[in-house]
Amino acid sequence: MDQRTYNQYCATARTLDLVGERWTLLLVRELLTGPKRFGDLQKSLRGLGTGLLAARLKHLEQEGLAHKVTLPPPARTPAYALTEAGRELGPAVLALARWGAKWAMGGRRDGEAFHPGWAVLAMEAFFDAGAAAGVRAVYEFRVGDEVFHVRVDDGSVDAGHGPDPRPDVVVETSENVFAELADGRSGLADKIASGEATASGDRDALRLLGTLFRRPTPAERMPAQDA
């Protein structure tokens, strides 16, 4: 597959030459949370055909942004992981997520895929370090078949897939309910009160949860028209 170029001696243009093709930056998003097998990427990126996925991965390898690895036991299967250069795209991806939450999201459209695991990066994007000063807590989320966790440690955050061995709070709910929480239409306290979600563990840590992660207030891209 021929690589298109903007043919500009500009850092922004050169970066877009590398990751500006459709699906490429979403592949980076998936790999930012850890190595993924080819099948894992197919599952998360519905609509991306097998051939195009293989081509995009090959492109990332050739450009030094990703490489093949073998997952540790018990899996011991081939996977893809980001290189140092690929991982340093993380802040840019998080900044795009914050911008998108404010200016691009709106409600969920018919047919749009949603994976609770995408919240792993969203938690880092929306983390309020100031509100987390002095806070040390581990939150585990069990959403449908997916499990992920967030560790807060005195103003820093570390989110990842899978369970945590010693969570302070465990939140359980369905994928659809979690999607409503993710887009800000509902609060966790309301879902717990209605029985659509459950939470167990340290009550003080649970009360802090809503203050540690702040989704940007949605705004209209088009300026208001004068009457």
Side-chain angles (χ1 to χ4, degrees):
M1 184 178 295
D2 293 334
Q3 181 177 335
R4 293 183 288 186
T5 176
Y6 288 101
N7 199 30
Q8 294 181 8
Y9 187 57
C10 161
T12 302
R14 287 283 184 91
T15 303
L16 290 174
D17 283 346
L18 297 177
V19 298
E21 291 280 6
R22 191 165 183 257
W23 295 106
T24 304
L25 205 54
L26 292 184
L27 270 174
V28 173
R29 178 198 69 188
E30 296 299 313
L31 296 175
L32 278 170
T33 58
K36 301 290 189 303
R37 296 170 296 187
F38 192 92
D40 297 329
L41 295 169
Q42 280 186 307
K43 182 179 178 180
S44 293
L45 298 172
R46 297 174 189 170
L48 174 57
T50 301
L52 186 55
L53 173 57
R56 291 289 184 262
L57 287 169
K58 183 178 180 180
H59 167 74
L60 290 176
E61 285 188 88
Q62 290 175 335
E63 296 297 342
L65 299 176
H67 62 123
K68 292 187 178 76
V69 297
T70 299
L71 295 178
R76 289 196 180 93
T77 55
Y80 293 87
L82 293 176
T83 62
E84 179 183 1
R87 291 192 298 272
E88 287 197 8
L89 287 166
V93 174
L94 296 182
L96 283 172
R98 286 189 290 269
W99 185 92
K102 179 177 181 179
W103 295 105
M105 284 294 285
R108 187 177 179 183
R109 299 167 185 161
D110 291 341
E112 279 191 323
F114 174 77
H115 289 282
W118 291 338
V120 172
L121 279 185
M123 289 289 192
E124 295 192 4
F126 303 151
F127 180 64
D128 187 335
V135 177
R136 290 179 174 83
V138 179
Y139 299 92
E140 183 173 294
F141 297 86
R142 302 172 184 175
V143 184
D145 295 331
E146 294 199 47
V147 180
F148 55 94
H149 63 271
V150 181
R151 299 188 187 100
V152 178
D153 186 6
D154 192 17
S156 66
V157 65
D158 180 29
H161 292 284
D164 185 273
R166 299 185 65 181
D168 295 291
V169 174
V170 175
V171 176
E172 295 188 62
T173 191
S174 68
E175 183 175 313
N176 286 336
V177 170
F178 190 76
E180 294 178 13
L181 293 171
D183 73 8
R185 282 182 290 165
S186 302
L188 179 58
D190 293 333
K191 292 302 184 184
I192 292 173
S194 68
E196 296 175 274
T198 63
S200 59
D202 188 293
R203 291 185 178 275
D204 290 335
L206 178 60
R207 280 194 291 268
L208 285 172
L209 182 58
T211 69
L212 300 176
F213 304 93
R214 297 185 182 275
R215 178 189 173 93
T217 302
E220 294 292 334
R221 294 192 301 274
M222 299 299 292
Q225 298 296 319
D226 294 333

